[in-house]
Amino acid sequence: QNDGCRTLSLSAHVGFDSLPDQLVRKSIKHGFCFNVLCIGETGIGKSALMSSLFNTNFEDAPSTHFLSSVQLRAQTCELQESNVLLKLTIVKTVGFGDQMNKADSYQPIVDYIDAQFEAYLKEELKVIRSLFSYHDTRIHVCLYFISPTGRCLKTIDLLTMRSLDSKVNIIPVIGKADSISKAELEEFKKKIMSELISNGIQIYQFPTDDETVSEINTIINGHLPFAVVGSMEKVKIGNKMVRARQYPWGIVKVENESHCDTVKLRRMLCTNMEDLREKTCAYYELYRRCRLEKLGCRDIGPENKPISLQEVIEAKRLKFFLEMERKEEEIKQRFVQRVNEKAAMLEEAEQQASMPVLTKSEHLALIHQEEELKLGEKKKLLEDEIAQFMEMKAITELIQSKVSVSTPVVSLK
C-alpha cells in the first residue's frame, strides 16, 4: 500500500513461477566465477591447502625468500562439477614477510584489490558495456594464513588484516596446524580471536539469517579461525588411499574433521559462496562511491535537491570547457607577447646591420690617431715639466751667485 501496489489473488495458473528455474538454467549456462586471495608467509602451505580444498593439483612455481618486495601471483582455471562450471582464480602472495622492513608489506595487496575494483568500475562506466561476459576479478574471499606459533599474532598480521577488513572478506586460518598439540591449538584460537576483537579487526562471519544454514553457520563461527592442513599425497590406510601427511609418530588425515578443519573450511566456502560474492559487491559499492565522490559526482546538489548523473557530467563538462578556454586565451596572449619580443629583436638586429661597417685599415687608422692624441698630451705635460725644471734651475743659480758676491774673501799668509 505504501508503494501504491495492490495484492491480488490469481484465479488460475499463469506460469511466472518458473522464473527461478529460468535463472538457474541461465546461471548454469553462463557459469560462475570465484576468486580467492591467499596471504601468508612463504612455505606456510598455501598451495597445498588450495589443492586440498578443490581436490585438484594446481601447478605452481616454487617461491623464493629473497624478493625485495611482496608480489602477487594469479592463476585462473576452470573447474566443472556435474553440470556447473566454475572459473576459479587463486591469487597468492610471494615473499610476504621475508623483507627486513615489513612496514609496507601489506600495501601491494591493498593496491591489487583496489586495482580489481577499478577495472570493474571502468568496465561499468563504458558506453558499450559487456558485464555479462566480463571476467570479474574482484576478490571474493581472503584466506589469511597465520603461523602456528601458539603465542599471539604478529604485528604484520594485525596491520595487514586491519588494512584489508574494509575491502575483502577475511577468513583467518592457522596454517600447518598439525605442528602444535590439540590443547595448544584451542588456546591459540582463543588468543587470536581476542586480539582481533581488541584491535577492532572485522573478519567474515558466516551468515545466520538464512534458516537453512543458520544452525551450521552458528556452530562454524565458533570454530574460527580454522586449523587447516593441506596435502595432495595419498597414504594407504587399510584398503583405502586417503590424503594425509605421514609422520614418524602417526598420520594426519586431511579429510578427517577430528584431525583438522580443512573439510569444514571447504564446506563453508561452498555453502556460503554466493553470500561471499554479495558481500564483495557491497565492498565494491563502497569503493565505487568513494571514487565517484572524488570525481565530483553527487546525488544531492548545493540546495539539497536530487541531481542526476547526467547533470553532474554536464556541469563538469561546462567547467572543463571554461577552463580550457581560459587556458587557450592565456596561451594566445603569451604567444603574441613572444612574437612581439622576437619582432623587436629582429628589428634591432636589422638596424645594427644597416649601419656602415668600418674596414680594417680605417679601424687601425682610428686607433693610431687616438694613440697619437694620447702621446701628444703626454709630450705637452713633459715639456711643461721641463720648462718648470729649467726655470727652477735658473733661479737657483742666480741665488747662489748673489750669495758668493756678498761674502768677503779673507787671505791668510
Side-chain angles (χ1 to χ4, degrees):
Q1 294 177 355
N2 294 334
D3 297 335
C5 297
R6 294 183 299 166
T7 302
L8 303 176
S9 59
L10 301 177
S11 59
H13 181 261
V14 177
F16 56 81
D17 56 352
S18 64
L19 277 173
D21 298 332
Q22 297 175 33
L23 291 175
V24 169
R25 289 195 298 270
K26 183 178 179 181
S27 299
I28 291 176
K29 181 179 179 181
H30 180 253
F32 302 89
C33 67
F34 193 66
N35 307 318
V36 184
L37 172 63
C38 299
I39 304 176
E41 300 176 358
T42 306
I44 196 66
K46 300 185 290 294
S47 300
L49 178 65
M50 297 310 298
S51 299
S52 300
L53 288 177
F54 293 96
N55 289 330
T56 186
N57 190 10
F58 298 105
E59 296 181 359
D60 195 4
S63 303
T64 177
H65 291 272
F66 303 101
L67 294 177
S68 58
S69 61
V70 179
Q71 300 178 6
L72 287 96
R73 183 185 300 165
Q75 184 180 9
T76 303
C77 57
E78 291 185 353
L79 304 178
Q80 186 169 358
E81 188 174 29
S82 298
N83 60 341
V84 178
L85 181 65
L86 178 67
K87 183 179 287 187
L88 177 66
T89 301
I90 300 174
V91 184
K92 302 173 188 175
T93 58
V94 181
F96 182 77
D98 292 336
Q99 294 75 31
M100 293 296 293
N101 184 7
K102 301 179 179 61
D104 298 330
S105 296
Y106 62 88
Q107 194 58 47
I109 305 173
V110 175
D111 295 340
Y112 181 86
I113 296 175
D114 289 343
Q116 311 316 307
F117 284 154
E118 186 68 21
Y120 192 87
L121 179 61
K122 287 181 180 179
E123 183 66 27
E124 193 178 42
L125 295 178
K126 283 183 178 180
V127 177
I128 302 176
R129 301 185 299 177
S130 57
L131 293 176
F132 185 77
S133 60
Y134 175 73
H135 180 206
D136 187 5
T137 57
R138 295 174 296 177
I139 300 300
H140 297 123
V141 64
C142 170
L143 299 180
Y144 193 90
F145 287 74
I146 300 171
S147 300
T149 59
R151 299 181 182 89
C152 59
L153 290 174
K154 300 178 181 179
T155 305
I156 187 175
D157 298 330
L158 296 174
L159 289 175
T160 304
M161 284 191 278
R162 185 182 298 167
S163 61
L164 296 178
D165 63 353
S166 61
K167 298 177 180 293
V168 69
N169 302 304
I170 300 177
I171 299 179
V173 297
I174 302 173
K176 294 186 176 180
D178 53 344
S179 60
I180 55 179
S181 64
K182 283 282 187 180
E184 292 174 340
L185 188 59
E186 292 299 324
E187 189 66 25
F188 190 34
K189 286 186 176 183
K190 294 179 182 178
K191 289 181 181 179
I192 292 173
M193 295 303 297
S194 176
E195 289 189 16
L196 293 176
I197 294 173
S198 61
N199 286 277
I201 298 174
Q202 301 293 328
I203 63 173
Y204 177 75
Q205 294 288 325
F206 296 100
T208 57
D209 52 354
D210 189 355
E211 295 180 358
T212 58
V213 293
S214 60
E215 184 178 356
I216 184 64
N217 283 352
T218 302
I219 297 173
I220 292 300
N221 284 331
H223 287 82
L224 290 173
F226 293 114
V228 296
V229 177
S231 176
M232 290 303 294
E233 297 180 2
K234 291 189 176 182
V235 179
K236 187 175 182 180
I237 301 178
N239 296 327
K240 294 182 179 181
M241 298 294 293
V242 297
R243 292 190 185 92
R245 296 184 69 90
Q246 191 168 10
Y247 297 97
W249 45 265
I251 297 174
V252 177
K253 300 178 183 179
V254 174
E255 304 289 340
N256 193 333
E257 294 190 33
S258 63
H259 289 185
C260 62
D261 297 333
T262 303
V263 176
K264 291 186 179 69
L265 176 59
R266 179 199 297 158
R267 187 186 305 122
M268 288 300 100
L269 286 179
C270 296
T271 305
N272 302 279
M273 189 174 290
E274 187 59 30
D275 184 73
L276 289 167
R277 289 157 53 90
E278 291 179 1
K279 291 287 180 63
T280 301
C281 292
Y283 290 128
Y284 165 73
E285 289 297 325
L286 178 61
Y287 175 85
R288 176 180 174 274
R289 185 183 71 183
C290 294
R291 286 286 290 120
L292 293 180
E293 287 178 353
K294 286 182 180 179
L295 294 175
C297 299
R298 297 287 188 277
D299 293 332
I300 300 177
E303 299 178 357
N304 292 329
K305 294 182 179 180
I307 57 176
S308 63
L309 181 61
Q310 182 180 0
E311 294 176 353
V312 174
I313 293 175
E314 287 296 330
K316 296 285 288 183
R317 181 173 175 271
L318 178 61
K319 182 180 178 181
F320 173 76
F321 276 109
L322 292 175
E323 185 70 16
M324 288 296 295
E325 289 179 357
R326 185 184 65 81
K327 290 185 176 181
E328 185 178 357
E329 186 64 26
E330 289 181 357
I331 293 172
K332 286 182 179 179
Q333 293 178 0
R334 196 179 303 119
F335 177 75
V336 171
Q337 181 181 359
R338 296 186 66 178
V339 168
N340 293 333
E341 292 176 355
K342 192 69 175 177
M345 292 174 61
L346 291 174
E347 185 178 356
E348 183 179 357
E350 288 178 358
Q351 290 178 358
Q352 292 179 357
S354 63
M355 293 176 63
V357 181
L358 298 176
T359 61
K360 186 174 181 181
S361 59
E362 291 175 347
H363 182 67
L364 292 176
L366 183 60
I367 294 175
H368 181 66
Q369 187 178 359
E370 291 178 356
E371 291 293 334
E372 285 183 349
L373 291 175
K374 290 180 181 179
L375 288 174
E377 291 177 358
K378 291 182 179 181
K379 182 179 180 181
K380 186 178 179 182
L381 291 174
L382 184 58
E383 289 176 352
D384 292 340
E385 290 180 0
I386 293 172
Q388 290 179 2
F389 176 76
M390 296 301 294
E391 185 179 356
M392 291 295 294
K393 180 179 180 182
I395 293 172
T396 303
E397 290 177 351
L398 181 60
I399 292 172
Q400 288 180 353
S401 63
K402 287 181 180 182
V403 171
S404 62
V405 171
S406 62
T407 302
V409 179
V410 182
S411 58
L412 298 177
K413 293 183 179 179

